[in-house]
Amino acid sequence: MVSGNKSKAARSGSRKAVVSQKSTPWGLIAAVMAVVLFAGAVFGYAFLRNQENSAKAEALAPFTPTAQNQDPSTQIQGVVRQGYAGGQHVAPDVRIAYTHSPPFGGAHDGSWAACNGVVYPQAVRSENLVHSLEHGAVWIAYNPDQVTGDALETLKSKVENQPYTVMSPYPGLDQPIALQSWGHQLKLADAADPRVDQFIAALRLNQYTYPEPGASCNEIGPGGFSQDNPPPFVPAPAPGSPGSQPETTPGSAVTPDTGS
């Protein structure tokens, strides 16, 4: 017969054995694994984006201006070029009979359109946007009847938060898209065309191709061009129309910018 003392000791030892068996912390393991997987996804995404940016930079390297390659746009098929003198400013009520639509040089308003990553929802007076080009900006114009949806968002992504870049609809444009810098224009049908990025890389703030390096693209402020209430777009008048001025007036005075 087993004594009571032995039975009690056996039960005590059994309890100690049960207590000493610790359960596996599955919750903690799952949490650690989740953190590891999340960190891996973050680093993987960052690595892929870095690879994409490196590949894009490498592709655009031939279109980066240098002292030896001052106008890389000569390598871009379809770019139209024309020389213009800078500094020919007109009053806000004067219309310019531009020879190109959209214009990309010549006489222009004394106030420039704000052009640091601005996407205007409405068409804007060309005379102000041409002044932005004189300051080194690239202007993306688009036909609002032809560019919508994903194509419009693609163009916006190339402008928003980008310095010296501006975008606006241009009613009646003969192609879906037109890119302008001072003295340069490229018309395209597809927002995904690689020439959009090539044009911007080659000509935005290219010190060799525009008249006023160092000029501002910020909003002028009171008394000048208002970003939130810009002067509306009006089609260019025909040459010789009353109140209009030719695109280029030989011998016309060079006047300072409004607000300078």
Side-chain angles (χ1 to χ4, degrees):
M1 181 175 180
V2 179
S3 69
N5 289 337
K6 289 184 178 180
S7 176
K8 186 175 181 180
R11 289 195 299 271
S12 176
S14 176
R15 285 197 298 269
K16 289 180 180 179
V18 170
V19 170
S20 66
Q21 293 177 358
K22 296 181 179 180
S23 60
T24 303
W26 294 113
L28 177 61
I29 292 173
V32 171
M33 289 298 297
V35 171
V36 170
L37 291 173
F38 177 76
V42 169
F43 284 116
Y45 175 78
F47 175 78
L48 290 175
R49 287 303 302 269
N50 184 61
Q51 292 291 94
E52 291 174 0
N53 291 336
S54 297
K56 182 178 179 180
E58 184 177 353
L60 293 177
F63 304 98
T64 301
T66 64
Q68 294 73 36
N69 185 20
Q70 296 186 358
D71 187 357
S73 73
T74 58
Q75 305 168 60
I76 304 173
Q77 184 179 6
V79 174
V80 175
R81 300 170 193 82
Q82 182 169 327
Y84 291 104
Q88 299 186 48
H89 297 152
V90 299
D93 59 343
V94 175
R95 304 288 316 291
I96 305 299
Y98 289 113
T99 58
H100 296 276
S101 183
F104 53 93
H108 49 270
D109 194 283
S111 297
W112 62 91
C115 45
N116 274 327
V118 183
V119 176
Y120 291 100
Q122 71 274 59
V124 178
R125 183 169 178 257
S126 295
E127 286 84 352
N128 298 95
L129 284 163
V130 170
H131 195 155
S132 302
L133 305 184
E134 187 183 45
H135 286 195
V138 166
W139 168 28
I140 298 180
Y142 66 95
N143 187 323
D145 296 327
Q146 297 178 306
V147 179
T148 58
D150 290 344
L152 184 59
E153 293 304 314
T154 295
L155 293 179
K156 285 182 178 180
S157 70
K158 300 179 186 299
V159 176
E160 291 175 330
N161 301 315
Q162 296 300 314
Y164 289 82
T165 319
V166 61
M167 176 174 162
S168 67
Y170 192 90
L173 184 59
D174 59 355
Q175 290 288 326
I177 303 162
L179 284 76
Q180 289 70 227
S181 72
W182 185 265
H184 299 74
Q185 183 175 72
L186 174 64
K187 292 186 176 181
L188 301 167
D190 185 1
D193 193 313
R195 290 177 291 172
V196 175
D197 290 333
Q198 293 170 4
F199 187 96
I200 294 172
L203 295 166
R204 181 176 57 190
L205 285 177
N206 181 340
Q207 61 179 316
Y208 304 107
T209 60
Y210 69 99
E212 297 184 2
S216 175
C217 243
N218 292 328
E219 184 177 18
I220 294 174
F225 181 95
S226 172
Q227 179 176 324
D228 295 330
N229 186 30
F233 168 83
V234 179
S241 299
S244 70
Q245 178 176 313
E247 180 178 75
T248 301
T249 305
S252 62
V254 175
T255 58
D257 291 350
T258 298
S260 295

